[in-house]
Amino acid sequence: KPVSVDLKQAYKIAEAIESAGILNSVGYHFRYFDLTDKTKELLRGKTIGMVLGYWMGGMPMVPWWRRMEQSGGQLVEQCTHIVDLARYLVGEVKKVYCAAALRTMTDVENNNVPDVTTVTMEFENGAIGTMNTSCMMPQGGPVALHIVTRGQTFELTGGSLRIVEGRHTEEFRSAVNGHLEADRAFVRAVKTRKQSPIKSSYADAVKTLAVTLAANKSARTGKAVTV
């Protein structure tokens, strides 16, 4: 990930993969944590009201990352994981509105990537969400997805899950490494020649790309964009 920075190119690649009939996987490792499936099960039958996503941290100091035309920016290159996790747990995104700015990282050579971004998202099931990113925080910050239902908040980081209900909080730690499980799933798929162990195919990953690229378009135009 990201599978591309151009949606038309991504569709062409997806078509080539399908016509060739080859096994394929995209490294959205958050899907492979045991707590992700636990959260999915706990959310079953609940009405999700709000989704809050975060990818807050420092700027990777490599030349390609600092160019929007090469990396797609922080939303496409990093926060794509949280957008994908939201799709996996909540459902498809219908419309986005994005505001982005380059506020403090103006002294970084050859940088045109916004250092603060907020995306408002409308999901097809009616839930409302935001995705918040910043790359001006070398001290670190939250990389997480919070899902709010009536009376409960599910705070998922991949490696941990907090469920807040009134004054009561339950905390869980993952028993597996999502990166390793993603690799194991691919090896199983190759051994069995079946796509089924893989939780994120290229075609599905293109749907996540469509959300983040729509957000970038919204930031450029100042208008809401239908995904």
Side-chain angles (χ1 to χ4, degrees):
K1 46 51 59 184
V3 293
S4 180
V5 292
D6 179 84
L7 197 56
K8 289 182 179 179
Q9 181 193 48
Y11 284 138
K12 288 181 180 179
I13 295 170
E15 289 172 4
I17 288 171
E18 184 177 1
S19 63
I22 61 171
L23 292 168
N24 61 96
S25 178
V26 175
Y28 281 119
H29 63 277
F30 280 88
R31 293 190 179 206
Y32 292 88
F33 281 102
D34 51 354
L35 295 178
T36 300
D37 285 337
K38 180 180 181 69
T39 302
K40 199 178 186 77
E41 182 60 33
L42 291 171
L43 287 170
R44 195 180 305 278
K46 298 182 184 293
T47 299
I48 297 170
M50 181 172 282
V51 181
L52 306 170
Y54 308 91
W55 194 291
M56 318 290 269
M59 176 178 283
M61 299 306 288
V62 290
W64 61 268
W65 198 94
R66 303 195 298 265
R67 301 300 303 176
M68 287 292 288
E69 64 273 17
Q70 294 184 45
S71 69
Q74 190 173 23
L75 190 64
V76 171
E77 206 283 318
Q78 289 181 319
C79 195
T80 181
H81 282 292
I82 306 302
V83 174
D84 185 77
L85 187 60
R87 284 189 53 245
Y88 187 68
L89 292 175
V90 181
E92 299 300 337
V93 179
K94 178 174 67 174
K95 185 184 292 186
V96 296
Y97 173 77
C98 179
L102 179 52
R103 297 288 296 162
T104 70
M105 306 294 284
T106 54
D107 59 332
V108 177
E109 184 180 0
N110 203 33
N111 175 49
N112 67 354
V113 171
D115 53 20
V116 287
T117 303
T118 294
V119 186
T120 301
M121 310 168 73
E122 294 182 24
F123 289 81
E124 289 183 356
N125 61 13
I128 300 298
T130 64
M131 289 286 157
N132 305 281
T133 76
S134 177
C135 58
M136 61 180 187
M137 299 172 61
Q139 72 274 25
V143 174
L145 183 71
H146 295 182
I147 299 174
V148 183
T149 66
R150 185 169 180 175
Q152 287 182 310
T153 302
F154 298 81
E155 301 177 357
L156 190 62
T157 64
S160 67
L161 169 65
R162 294 178 75 244
I163 304 174
V164 181
E165 185 172 3
R167 296 183 179 180
H168 178 67
T169 299
E170 284 188 281
E171 297 193 28
F172 304 89
R173 298 293 301 177
S174 178
V176 301
N177 181 313
H179 295 87
L180 181 58
E181 292 306 309
D183 291 343
R184 284 174 169 165
F186 184 70
V187 171
R188 286 196 299 274
V190 172
K191 283 183 174 181
T192 61
R193 298 183 181 180
K194 294 181 180 179
Q195 183 75 24
S196 54
I198 294 168
K199 295 185 177 183
S200 179
S201 67
Y202 189 95
D204 192 62
V206 172
K207 295 179 181 180
T208 297
L209 178 69
V211 176
T212 55
L213 290 181
N216 279 353
K217 181 178 179 180
S218 175
R220 291 193 306 270
T221 63
K223 299 178 180 179
V225 175
T226 299
V227 178

